Amino acid sequence: MSNRAVVLQKLVPNNPDAGLALVTKPVPKAEPGQVVVRIILRALNPTDLLSYRVPGYAHAKPGSFTPGSEGVGIVHDVGEGVTTVVKGQRVVPFVQVENFGKGDGTWQDYVSVRADLVWVVPDSISDVAAAQFVINPWTVHGMLSDLKIPKGEYVLQTAAGSTLGRQLIKLAKHWGIKTINLVRRKEQKAELKALGADEVISTSDEDVATRVKEITGGKLAYGALDAVAGELTKQVCASVRDGGQVFIYGILSGWEATVGVGDLFRGVHLTAWYLYREISIPERRKVFINDVSKLIEDKIIEPLVGETYDLADFQLAIKKSEEVGRGGKVFLKS
């Protein structure tokens, strides 16, 4: 029995993907208090790529670093003292708490996690939903909850055509919150409208702040969520109300963000929202598990399924995941 793993073997300037290789590692032993999970399906997330492409993001060390922020699997073995799960159960291991930062992610056949970081998946939730149970749904739920937007008010979001952006549109509608959605390609407008988006703005040919004022009758958005950063953050901040909250949760354009001083004088509050910080709080994990599993069962949050590749074909999966208009989340299977 072997443990195939994608490992960052070396740092390749200007082409970090080329430093990845499929190797064979020993299957982890079930130490006391630990659960060994055989991963069967993994969603490929932007954070997986950032973990080894961006210096300092996850402190990737060549020779040992394995990406992978989430997945679903089967309990392979349990260590001494573990009573919460048994062999053969289908589970989601919360590798985000400890493993991901250490470079012991889900892009391998087996992972070992603490017993309290394993969730038994109910039969009502499919493998594809379980494989992307955490990163996008928990971020959507957490950010929208923390903004505390009253029913009938607007939330503004960037990168609205992403899997996360689409899930936010549906959850906001479920909670009675209206959405203003920023996209780069105007072809996405009709698609997002059909999904339930209230308003869609194409940043390539529309002025964001002007359009938001028109849409809201001058009130501006109650709060905003920004996955892009960079110069777009300035437009986002200019589009929220006095005293409004803007969460940056992604760095699609890099590590810097621009904000107008005038918006700071208006009391616009700009800060980062980081899932890996929130997920480390046991009480918050319980809320996410209970609420998100119910939202998935009720089909409020639904998996957006794209193509699936074998773990050995990770390079093809990476390329597919970055295609414009790819049509859904890319998966790696074992």
Side-chain angles (χ1 to χ4, degrees):
M1 184 169 47
S2 62
N3 179 21
R4 299 179 305 163
V6 178
V7 172
L8 182 66
Q9 294 283 64
K10 56 185 177 180
L11 296 177
V12 180
N14 302 318
N15 187 16
D17 294 354
L20 298 172
L22 189 71
V23 304
T24 299
K25 297 165 55 176
V27 175
K29 293 183 179 180
E31 302 293 343
Q34 296 284 118
V35 176
V36 177
V37 180
R38 177 174 61 85
I39 303 296
I40 59 175
L41 194 66
R42 317 144 184 82
L44 203 158
N45 294 303
T47 189
D48 301 334
L49 308 185
L50 292 171
S51 69
Y52 64 86
R53 287 179 177 177
V54 179
Y57 186 83
H59 307 290
K61 296 179 180 178
S64 62
F65 189 90
T66 293
S69 55
E70 64 181 333
V72 62
I74 306 297
V75 174
H76 171 71
D77 201 3
V78 298
E80 182 183 349
V82 175
T83 59
T84 50
V85 295
V86 297
K87 291 181 182 181
Q89 284 185 303
R90 191 170 58 120
V91 297
V92 168
F94 299 133
V95 296
Q96 307 85 359
V97 178
E98 292 184 346
N99 296 52
F100 184 70
K102 296 187 299 184
D104 190 24
T106 57
W107 288 17
Q108 55 187 325
D109 289 327
Y110 295 87
V111 296
S112 179
V113 295
R114 291 193 336 240
D116 63 311
L117 298 177
V118 172
W119 176 62
V120 178
V121 182
D123 293 340
S124 56
I125 294 180
S126 66
D127 285 348
V128 291
Q132 53 180 308
F133 179 65
V134 178
I135 299 299
N136 287 335
W138 291 22
T139 300
V140 166
H141 182 285
M143 292 192 302
L144 202 53
S145 298
D146 290 351
L147 282 179
K148 297 180 171 58
I149 300 176
K151 287 186 177 181
E153 294 286 350
Y154 281 100
V155 62
L156 172 72
Q157 69 159 334
T158 64
S162 66
T163 299
L164 186 150
R166 292 163 190 262
Q167 291 181 350
L168 186 132
I169 288 170
K170 293 198 67 175
L171 182 59
K173 183 166 286 292
H174 180 63
W175 285 353
I177 299 167
K178 293 188 285 189
T179 59
I180 300 173
N181 303 276
L182 306 189
V183 296
R184 288 181 299 173
R185 298 181 296 117
K186 57 185 177 182
E187 310 91 80
Q188 294 176 292
K189 281 190 171 187
E191 186 180 355
L192 295 187
K193 282 276 195 174
L195 192 64
D198 293 286
E199 303 287 345
V200 185
I201 299 172
S202 171
T203 57
S204 62
D205 56 8
E206 296 179 86
D207 182 81
V208 175
T210 299
R211 284 289 292 120
V212 171
K213 285 180 182 178
E214 293 171 355
I215 291 166
T216 62
K219 289 177 63 177
L220 302 180
Y222 194 89
L225 307 171
D226 182 16
V228 179
E231 290 293 328
L232 187 58
T233 301
K234 184 176 182 179
Q235 299 180 57
V236 171
C237 290
S239 301
V240 300
R241 67 188 173 96
D242 293 3
Q245 174 73 62
V246 177
F247 288 139
I248 291 183
Y249 70 95
I251 54 170
L252 293 178
S253 69
W255 281 101
E256 296 184 354
T258 302
V259 60
V261 175
D263 294 320
L264 298 179
F265 280 132
R266 292 195 299 114
V268 174
H269 185 56
L270 175 66
T271 188
W273 197 98
Y274 190 45
L275 176 64
Y276 293 90
R277 179 175 57 235
E278 304 298 325
I279 205 174
S280 66
I281 305 169
E283 295 77 15
R284 189 127 212 215
R285 282 203 304 274
K286 291 178 182 177
V287 171
F288 286 145
I289 291 169
N290 293 334
D291 289 4
V292 171
S293 60
K294 182 70 164 56
L295 289 166
I296 290 175
E297 290 172 337
D298 292 343
K299 300 189 184 306
I300 304 302
I301 291 180
E302 296 185 276
L304 190 63
V305 182
E307 294 189 26
T308 299
Y309 297 81
D310 187 83
L311 182 63
D313 296 322
F314 66 92
Q315 292 287 9
L316 293 176
I318 290 171
K319 289 183 175 64
K320 185 65 179 180
S321 74
E322 297 191 295
E323 283 185 8
V324 175
R326 66 183 180 276
K329 182 69 70 175
V330 173
F331 294 91
L332 289 169
K333 68 178 180 179
S334 290

